Amino acid sequence: MRIGDKIHNLEDLIGIKDCDGLNGPDQIVRRAGLDFDVYKDDLSKHDGNLDGFFAIKRKDTDRVFNIVRNNYQVIQTRETLDPFNEIVKDYGAKYTNAGTLWGGGKIWVQAELPEKLRFNNPDFEDDVLASYIMLLIDHTGTGCNAMFPYTNRAACNNQFFSFTSAARRHGLSIRHRSNWKERLEIVREAFRNAIAGNEVFMKKAEKLTTWKIAEKEVRGFTNVIFPDIRKVDEKREHATSQEKKREEVVNLFHRGLGNRGETRWDAFNAVTEYLDHHQGSKRITKSMESDKVEKRDNRKTFERRFISNMTGGINNNLKHRAFTKLLNEQSFQRINKPEVVFN
């Protein structure tokens, strides 16, 4: 996330400030403030008209996260964190951060896998991707628990999930139902397949490192990823938001962190860097510098962005669309730099 002239990891903005020594569930629970249980409060005890409805509450504060029906199964944090810890140990991973969102309604735990992902292409031997695994625990009644891997490009901290959000929902998530323990075993196997998916992604990405693309074609590519959302008004005096996005991506193709302005791999990372760090950064920077905006409101912004990134929101779908197009399209329309007037 770009704030001012610096790029920050969202995890650092919303997680534990000092992550040294995170070596297991006990440390994570204590240092990240996860030492609370949740329970279902039968609302019919308070109002007979609410038979069959329950409030999900934090046991230590009685904070209400949501209202659910009887088939919702409470899963305590440790009941998912402990099996995740087994995966962390199996893969030799190291805990790197953890935290809560929405007052404990959601919990996240991050660990880094020991082996880096590298290209065989000698021209890109310094372009390294780190592999992480993430655990998301949901106590809000609106989501699933999930554990999944993702990659982080060292040069620019761009994140990418090698699987689609639909694939994760079907294979890597645990719904709050009575069979959640059986589902946990299925998720473990799906997790192994997802880890292997990172290697498949690297082989495909390596093809992009050898595929040259000119700036005019990059501009045509951005028209595919960020098409105009309304007809062009010939009388307008300002660029549309989509035009600004496209030109920012073209600029990042050349000047993005770790980019060279030469290959389709640069074009892909221009999209991921824009979505992860530049989109909305001016507004957030202004908010951070304002005395009128409460710090808790800025944190809410970071939390929303984090959960959108990690739950396969629109940005993740755009990244997959960009990757697929660059991998499969033989060419893009060659477009000269548009003559537009920016605000």
Side-chain angles (χ1 to χ4, degrees), residues 177-277:
R177 296 292 183 263
S178 59
N179 66 339
W180 70 269
K181 291 184 179 179
E182 292 83 357
R183 178 66 184 168
L184 185 59
E185 294 305 314
I186 296 173
V187 167
R188 284 177 174 172
E189 183 60 33
F191 184 88
R192 294 187 186 94
N193 295 334
I195 288 285
N198 282 346
E199 297 293 340
V200 175
F201 161 71
M202 287 298 289
K203 291 180 180 179
K204 292 179 178 179
E206 184 144 6
K207 181 179 179 181
L208 300 186
T209 68
T210 63
W211 202 338
K212 300 293 185 180
I213 187 171
E215 180 182 299
K216 291 180 180 180
E217 267 198 278
V218 173
R219 190 166 285 110
F221 158 68
T222 63
N223 279 358
V224 175
I225 305 304
F226 301 108
D228 287 311
I229 55 179
R230 64 180 176 82
K231 292 182 179 180
V232 176
D233 180 359
E234 298 297 338
K235 297 181 180 179
R236 61 185 166 81
E237 298 180 352
H238 303 294
T240 67
S241 61
Q242 295 299 91
E243 286 172 338
K244 291 181 179 180
K245 286 180 183 179
R246 293 196 291 264
E247 283 309 294
E248 182 69 14
V249 171
V250 172
N251 178 60
L252 291 170
F253 167 70
H254 293 287
R255 300 178 179 83
L257 296 172
N259 282 357
R260 311 174 186 189
E262 298 175 354
T263 69
R264 292 194 175 201
W265 177 242
D266 296 321
F268 172 67
N269 283 293
V271 172
T272 59
E273 181 172 341
Y274 172 76
L275 293 173
D276 283 351
H277 303 305

Side-chain angles (χ1 to χ4, degrees), residues 117 148-151 159-165 167 172 193-202 204 316 320 323:
L117 298 173
F148 51 89
Y150 67 96
T151 60
Q159 294 176 346
F160 185 68
F161 305 94
S162 60
F163 47 88
T164 64
S165 56
L172 297 166
N193 295 334
I195 288 285
N198 282 346
E199 297 293 340
V200 175
F201 161 71
M202 287 298 289
K204 292 179 178 179
N316 190 50
H320 271 274
F323 189 75

